[in-house]
């Protein structure tokens, strides 16, 4: 009965707030205390404070909404200062936290209100306390008071951390004198002790982090901007030196994420018996980390440009300074263990817990590689990088047909593009692939490079049409790794030849001005392997010989207007599936499925072209990379030479076609065919060979030394940070966070402007 009375009293207070025509005085504590006098669950707060009523108060009684926010922050500040010694104060903190989480999105969606939290409130001092006699110039904006109170409360003994003091200590004194670096939540980076798990502390931290994430979410209510200097004031202040807890908070969040083991004690079906309060904390910690590390909030990403960049983002600073091998090992092991979790198969269906925050983990991995080059080199110096690669390829394959997961495919490809710019990545891919992760791909025996090529082929030939802009990126990854691939399997070799066959059909090649880039990329792959890895690649050489007509047709592509028109009239839909028979799929695999009708998805910004996000480097003889000056006429890096758009007819492209046709790098392949085809034909006739394996054996012992053109220098296209991808990451990250926070639905049905929510 008590619970329903509590809800009734709370609801009455909400109704009074919306119906009172006169402003309620801030000093009327009897009225305001109704909002935090008794415990109300977060679900009840969302149900009892409807969106329409928040908007009505905002429009019709703005001073009441302002006072409610002010009083809730004031109570949080008071409780943070006192150290929350009593159960009553802890309950007040929870209620104020839930109420502000509910209200803030409606403050942000109205441009007139957005500055409200950054206005100074009479009586709010820089010291954090609220006092009537504070000088106007000393006043602290409400947002700052709120953020500092949240930070203090996240290190509040016996509320969110274990107390180290004896019972006689005054809690307020303990809060003032504490060094929060001694209270880091979990062992890991920079901290050796692991405090005992405390699910009440976990729940309290989770709710405070949810409020913090809601504060940061003002970014969702601003339209996309390519300005790289857009600073989120909430993140900028929270991650600045003004917050005395930045270091212990950064390490706490990182250690909670990387130290999480979803399998628990290894007891099957354990997750069905207990709700994992720790998993909720891990999710919130991860989302706070990726938002706090967003480049829009970190002036350090733009260090070269001087200007009013705001305070330094200490989260980015701390991340960039991690350097100990054991810390890198802890972080990488934590991320790979969690990313591999959905791939783990057991003999008992649904017996192990599957995590759902893989997209946020990929964003965090991206941030680490972007801000800490030592971490990137650590990842690539052993075959541990393959522990990242396999789950990324699994997600690409699994999500390829689902338009609600286009963003997931993009981030996976961006990470592989970043890694492929380093020689070590290509070298590591030669390790045999022996895992049996259930994927609907043909069974093959080969290396991790074969796995990558087979899955990229799947994404290109049977992915959702919204993945077409990624084709350049996918092929660039293959070009970057190709000089280091020692032995492609027959399955992977056939997939590469099938792509060339599909991309070089005249109707496809001529139907858009950029399509010839795809052919240039594939020819570059073949040239790299022939020139630098000929000895172990008899499978690819054999496939090239079998498909030699494709190369001859390319060399003889007609350039007259009549032939071009005729080719365009034969246009088919999609990319040719010819000879793409996949053979038997792996056991236990299921085909990639399109999204369920009714699924919600967030719109994404367009990604810049490959020439905008990469820079060419030439590999010199000693293995070092030298940047190549950008040439606007290079075939694969300039988008449509004459600027024709995707939709314009290309029928007038005779001269342009001629210009790139003459640059097709076919010399090496034509020389190979010229030398080897007669030899293969001769032994087939002389020995009556019809068996593929004997021809392969002949090719294995063959050599082209002295017969090929002089090897060309190896060109690597390295990912370059740019405003376009920074904006893409921002919209993708917030879209993921919006869709993943459904209980409670913090931002649902509010006026988001960074992206659109669409129902499939």
């Amino acid at each position: 009965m008590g619970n329903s009375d509590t809800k009734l009293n709370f609801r009455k207070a909400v109704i009074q707030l919306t119906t009172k025509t006169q402003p309620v005085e801030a000093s009327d504590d009897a009225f305001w205390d109704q909002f935090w006098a008794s415990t109300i669950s977060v679900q009840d707060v969302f149900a009892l404070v409807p969106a329409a009523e928040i908007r009505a108060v905002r429009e019709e009684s703005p001073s009441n909404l302002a006072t409610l926010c002010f009083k809730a922050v004031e109570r949080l500040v008071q409780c943070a200062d006192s150290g929350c010694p009593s159960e009553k104060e802890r309950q007040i903190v929870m209620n104020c936290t839930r109420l502000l989480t509910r209200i803030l999105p409606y403050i942000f969606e109205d441009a007139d209100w957005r500055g409200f939290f950054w206005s100074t409130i009479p009586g709010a001092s820089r010291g954090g306390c609220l006092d009537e006699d504070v000088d106007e110039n000393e006043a602290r904006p409400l947002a700052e008071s709120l953020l500092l109170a949240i930070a203090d409360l996240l290190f509040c003994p016996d509320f969110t951390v274990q107390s180290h003091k004896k019972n006689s200590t005054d809690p307020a004194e303990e809060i003032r004198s504490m060094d929060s670096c001694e209270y880091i939540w979990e062992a890991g980076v920079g901290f050796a002790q692991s405090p005992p798990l405390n699910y009440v502390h976990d729940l309290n931290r989770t709710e405070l982090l949810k409020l913090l994430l809601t504060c940061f979410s003002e970014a969702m209510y601003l339209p996309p901007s390519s300005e790289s200097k857009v600073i989120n004031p909430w993140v900028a202040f929270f991650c600045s030196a003004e917050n005395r807890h930045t270091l212990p908070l950064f390490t706490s969040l990182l250690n909670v994420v990387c130290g999480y083991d979803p399998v628990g004690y290894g007891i099957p079906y354990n997750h069905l018996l207990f709700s994992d309060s720790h998993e909720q904390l891990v999710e919130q910690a991860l989302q706070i980390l990726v938002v706090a590390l967003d480049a829009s909030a970190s002036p350090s990403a733009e260090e070269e440009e001087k200007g009013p960049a705001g305070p330094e983002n200490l989260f980015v600073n701390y991340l960039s300074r991690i350097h100990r091998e054991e810390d890198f090992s802890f972080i990488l092991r934590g991320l790979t263990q969690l990313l591999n979790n959905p791939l783990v198969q057991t003999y008992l269906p649904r017996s192990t817990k599957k995590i759902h925050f893989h997209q946020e983990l990929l964003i965090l991995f991206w941030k680490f590689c972007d801000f800490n080059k030592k971490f990137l080199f650590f990842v690539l110096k052993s075959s541990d990088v393959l522990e990242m690669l396999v789950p990324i390829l699994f997600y690409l394959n699994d999500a390829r047909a689902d338009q609600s997961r286009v963003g997931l495919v993009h981030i996976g490809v961006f990470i592989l593009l970043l890694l492929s710019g380093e020689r070590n990545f290509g070298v590591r891919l030669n390790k045999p692939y022996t895992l049996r992760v259930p994927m609907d791909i043909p069974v093959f025996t080969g290396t991790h490079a074969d796995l990558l090529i087979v899955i990229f082929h799947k994404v290109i030939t049977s992915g959702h049409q919204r993945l077409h802009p990624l084709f350049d990126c996918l092929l660039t990854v293959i070009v970057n790794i190709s000089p280091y691939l020692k032995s492609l399997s027959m399955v992977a070799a056939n997939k590469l030849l099938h792509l060339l066959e599909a991309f070089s059909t005249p109707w496809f090649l001529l139907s858009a001005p950029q399509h010839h880039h795809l052919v240039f990329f594939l020819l570059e792959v073949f040239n790299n392997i022939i020139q630098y890895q000929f000895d172990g690649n008899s499978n690819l050489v054999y496939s090239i010989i079998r498909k030699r007509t494709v190369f001859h047709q390319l060399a003889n592509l007609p350039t007259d207007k009549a032939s071009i028109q005729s080719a365009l009239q034969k246009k088919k839909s999609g990319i040719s599936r010819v000879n793409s028979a996949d053979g038997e799929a792996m056991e236990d695999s299921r085909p990639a499925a399109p999204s369920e009708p009714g699924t919600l998805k967030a719109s994404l910004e367009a990604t810049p072209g490959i020439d905008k996000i990469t820079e060419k480097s030439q590999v010199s003889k000693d293995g070092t990379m030298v940047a190549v000056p950008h040439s606007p006429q290079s075939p694969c890096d300039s988008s449509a030479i004459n600027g024709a758009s995707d939709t314009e007819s290309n029928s007038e492209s005779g001269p342009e076609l001629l210009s790139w046709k003459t640059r097709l790098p076919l010399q090496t392949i034509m020389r190979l065919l010229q030398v080897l085809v007669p030899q293969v034909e001769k032994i087939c006739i002389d020995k009556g060979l019809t068996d593929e394996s004997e021809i392969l054996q002949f090719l294995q012992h063959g050599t082209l030394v002295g017969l090929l053109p002089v090897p060309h220098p190896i060109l690597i296209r390295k990912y370059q940070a740019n405003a376009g991808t920074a904006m893409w990451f921002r919209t993708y990250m917030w879209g993921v966070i919006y869709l993943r926070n459904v209980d409670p639905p913090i931002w649902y049905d509010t006026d988001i402007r960074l992206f659109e929510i669409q129902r499939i």
Side-chain angles (χ1 to χ4, degrees):
M1 199 46 205
N3 188 28
S4 57
D5 284 352
T6 301
K7 285 193 209 174
L8 196 60
N9 293 338
F10 182 83
R11 179 69 191 130
K12 276 181 185 164
V14 173
I15 292 168
Q16 282 179 291
L17 188 71
T18 53
T19 53
K20 278 186 186 288
T21 47
Q22 293 303 309
V24 184
E25 290 299 321
S27 55
D28 186 352
D29 284 339
F31 175 77
W32 297 111
D33 284 350
Q34 298 175 92
F35 289 99
W36 31 83
S38 347
T39 304
I40 300 281
S41 74
V42 68
Q43 286 76 14
D44 285 340
V45 168
F46 272 68
L48 299 172
V49 187
E53 291 180 22
I54 304 174
R55 289 187 176 116
V57 177
R58 189 183 69 197
E59 305 308 321
E60 291 152 31
S61 319
S63 67
N64 284 350
L65 182 59
T67 308
L68 179 64
C69 293
F70 168 68
K71 294 299 284 187
V73 173
E74 180 183 53
R75 293 316 298 265
L76 286 177
V77 170
Q78 288 166 352
C79 293
D81 287 347
S82 71
C84 291
S86 69
E87 196 51 52
K88 178 79 185 151
E89 281 167 292
R90 291 170 199 171
Q91 174 213 303
I92 288 172
V93 168
M94 285 292 95
N95 278 16
C96 291
T97 299
R98 291 162 185 165
L99 197 55
L100 286 167
T101 303
R102 179 60 171 146
I103 290 170
L104 274 169
Y106 298 91
I107 300 275
F108 295 152
E109 73 173 6
D110 187 323
D112 295 338
W113 273 84
R114 228 167 274 142
F116 166 70
F117 268 83
W118 294 97
S119 53
T120 49
I121 303 291
S125 76
R126 286 270 162 206
C129 59
L130 297 171
D131 182 353
E132 295 301 316
D133 305 322
V134 171
D135 171 21
E136 189 73 15
N137 297 324
E138 273 293 292
R140 189 185 272 298
L142 196 58
E144 294 184 6
S145 299
L146 172 57
L147 290 169
L148 293 178
I150 294 172
D152 281 342
L153 288 164
L154 286 167
F155 290 97
C156 184
D158 291 326
F159 180 56
T160 49
V161 291
Q162 210 79 23
S163 176
H164 295 183
K165 298 285 191 280
K166 301 288 173 279
N167 291 344
S168 57
T169 315
D170 170 27
E173 181 49 41
E174 185 176 355
I175 277 271
R176 274 193 292 275
S177 62
M178 81 187 293
D179 172 4
S180 44
C181 286
E182 294 172 12
Y183 292 81
I184 289 170
W185 299 349
E186 203 153 315
V189 176
F191 198 64
Q193 302 96 295
S194 218
L197 269 180
N198 183 318
Y199 87 98
V200 176
H201 291 177
D202 277 357
L203 292 172
N204 294 341
R205 291 166 179 169
T206 303
E207 296 235 26
L208 286 162
L209 291 177
K210 223 180 253 301
L211 172 57
L212 185 58
L213 189 64
T214 309
C215 292
F216 290 171
S217 73
E218 184 183 311
M220 279 203 252
Y221 296 89
L222 303 170
S225 157
S226 56
E227 282 291 305
S228 51
K229 280 279 184 78
V230 175
I231 290 177
N232 181 330
W234 296 84
V235 173
F237 179 80
F238 190 80
C239 297
S240 75
E242 293 263 5
N243 175 2
R244 68 187 175 118
H245 302 293
T246 45
L247 179 58
L249 195 54
F250 171 74
T251 41
S252 292
L253 297 171
L254 184 59
N255 294 351
V256 158
V257 171
C258 296
Y260 178 54
D261 175 10
V263 179
Y265 302 106
I267 303 164
Y269 303 105
N270 203 8
H271 64 288
L272 301 179
L273 307 176
F274 311 102
S275 90
D276 186 353
S277 60
H278 201 61
E279 183 182 13
Q280 295 164 25
L281 174 63
V282 172
E283 266 191 47
Q284 292 297 309
L286 181 51
Q287 291 177 358
I288 290 289
L289 267 179
V290 296
V291 173
L293 294 167
D294 179 30
S296 63
S298 59
S300 50
E302 307 283 340
E303 276 167 350
E304 295 78 19
E305 294 179 36
K306 297 290 176 277
E312 181 180 19
N313 181 320
L314 293 178
F315 273 39
V316 173
N317 176 301
Y318 299 142
L319 184 152
S320 67
R321 283 169 39 204
I322 297 172
H323 62 278
R324 296 189 322 164
E325 294 258 317
E326 55 266 46
D327 289 341
F328 285 157
S329 180
F330 167 75
I331 293 161
L332 184 60
R333 193 171 57 246
L335 294 177
T336 53
Q337 185 179 332
L338 289 170
L339 282 167
N340 280 283
N341 159 273
L343 287 62
V344 174
Q345 294 300 306
T346 65
Y347 294 104
L348 299 168
R350 290 189 288 285
S351 64
T352 53
K353 184 185 198 92
K354 280 197 175 18
I355 57 140
H356 298 283
F357 44 83
H358 47 277
Q359 299 189 84
E360 295 97 316
L361 287 166
L362 291 173
I363 298 171
L364 183 62
F365 179 75
W366 173 271
K367 297 286 179 199
F368 260 94
C369 293
D370 202 18
F371 288 130
N372 191 322
K373 289 298 170 241
K374 286 188 180 136
F375 176 76
L376 176 61
F377 299 138
F378 174 83
V379 169
L380 291 165
K381 81 174 192 187
S382 76
S383 47
D384 287 352
V385 68
L386 303 176
E387 295 287 312
M388 281 301 302
L389 172 75
V390 172
I392 288 173
L393 292 176
F394 171 85
Y395 293 125
L396 294 192
N397 186 57
D398 191 53
R400 69 180 192 269
D402 182 345
Q403 62 166 309
S404 71
R405 294 198 286 163
V406 164
L408 170 59
V409 177
H410 274 72
I411 189 171
V413 174
F414 283 152
I415 289 171
L416 297 181
L417 178 65
L418 179 73
L419 296 175
S420 74
E422 306 298 332
R423 175 184 177 275
N424 266 4
F425 182 64
V427 173
R428 299 284 162 238
L429 291 176
N430 290 305
K431 187 175 178 182
Y433 174 69
T434 52
L435 288 170
R436 281 290 168 256
V437 175
M439 295 191 243
D440 64 326
I441 56 171
V443 178
F444 70 92
T445 303
T447 65
H448 284 76
D450 294 314
L451 177 69
L452 180 144
I453 289 167
V454 166
I455 285 177
F456 279 19
H457 175 271
K458 272 273 190 194
V459 172
I460 290 171
T461 58
S462 63
H464 193 272
Q465 64 190 38
R466 288 189 58 211
L467 298 178
H468 284 195
L470 276 180
F471 289 0
D472 275 358
C473 244
L474 290 162
L475 294 187
T476 299
V477 172
I478 300 177
V479 172
N480 283 348
I481 62 175
S482 59
Y484 312 111
L485 303 183
K486 293 189 180 306
S487 174
L488 283 184
S489 69
M490 188 62 85
V491 171
N494 283 335
K495 296 300 177 199
L496 288 177
L497 266 297
H498 173 250
L499 287 179
L500 182 70
E501 201 174 0
F503 289 147
S504 61
T505 54
W507 69 264
F508 180 81
L509 200 48
L510 303 174
S511 60
Q514 306 88 333
H515 281 176
H516 65 279
H517 297 172
L518 303 171
V519 170
F520 274 84
F521 281 134
L522 285 163
L523 293 176
E524 198 175 335
V525 169
F526 299 142
N527 288 339
N528 281 343
I529 294 176
I530 292 166
Q531 290 279 21
Y532 292 98
Q533 298 290 349
F534 179 82
D535 286 353
N537 274 296
S538 52
N539 288 326
L540 181 68
V541 173
Y542 176 69
S543 301
I544 288 172
I545 292 172
R546 276 186 57 230
K547 292 285 182 184
R548 58 191 177 276
T549 53
V550 177
F551 299 96
H552 291 302
Q553 282 164 359
L554 259 178
N556 298 311
L557 199 67
T559 54
D560 61 287
K561 197 170 174 182
S563 303
I564 291 171
Q565 284 289 17
S566 160
L568 287 169
Q569 277 156 10
K570 291 179 189 159
K571 184 170 179 179
K572 303 165 193 164
S573 58
I575 288 162
S576 149
R577 266 59 168 183
V578 275
N579 302 342
S580 173
D582 269 347
E584 197 180 327
M586 295 175 71
E587 208 179 330
D588 295 333
S589 68
R590 55 190 180 78
S595 41
E596 293 281 324
T599 307
L600 292 178
K601 73 181 181 82
S603 65
L604 289 164
E605 286 295 287
T607 49
I610 194 74
D611 54 318
K612 300 281 193 302
I613 63 173
T614 56
E615 259 178 30
K616 278 185 176 181
S617 290
Q618 199 167 302
V619 181
S620 52
K621 287 202 169 88
D622 61 358
T624 55
M625 300 242 192
V626 184
V628 176
H630 189 71
S631 103
Q633 284 293 309
S634 71
C636 294
D637 289 338
S638 58
S639 54
I641 295 168
N642 296 333
S645 76
D646 278 1
T647 50
E648 279 179 56
S649 157
N650 212 24
S651 59
E652 301 300 318
S653 64
E656 181 196 316
L657 170 54
L658 208 52
S659 79
W660 62 251
K661 186 192 161 186
T662 56
R663 294 198 310 273
L664 280 167
L666 285 166
Q667 301 84 331
T668 300
I669 294 166
M670 288 310 194
R671 184 72 185 128
L672 174 144
L673 293 172
Q674 194 184 0
V675 172
L676 291 180
V677 169
Q679 293 181 11
V680 169
E681 285 176 342
K682 185 174 188 310
I683 63 157
C684 286
I685 293 164
D686 291 355
K687 299 189 177 177
L689 293 186
T690 51
D691 186 9
E692 198 174 79
S693 60
E694 294 186 45
I695 300 169
L696 284 167
Q697 209 171 354
F698 164 74
L699 291 172
Q700 270 163 10
H701 298 106
T703 179
L704 291 176
V705 173
L707 297 172
L708 291 176
V710 177
H712 56 281
I714 295 172
L715 278 183
I716 302 294
R717 293 167 182 83
K718 289 171 80 88
Y719 171 81
Q720 291 299 317
N722 61 89
T725 43
M727 190 63 236
W728 184 90
F729 268 97
R730 197 170 312 140
T731 51
Y732 170 60
M733 170 187 78
W734 279 114
V736 168
I737 290 171
Y738 177 103
L739 293 169
R740 301 261 302 109
N741 282 275
V742 291
D743 183 23
I746 301 178
W747 302 284
Y748 183 73
D749 222 10
T750 59
D751 189 13
I752 301 288
R753 300 189 61 206
L754 185 63
F755 49 83
E756 287 175 31
I757 292 295
Q758 300 150 343
R759 195 175 290 280
I760 291 167

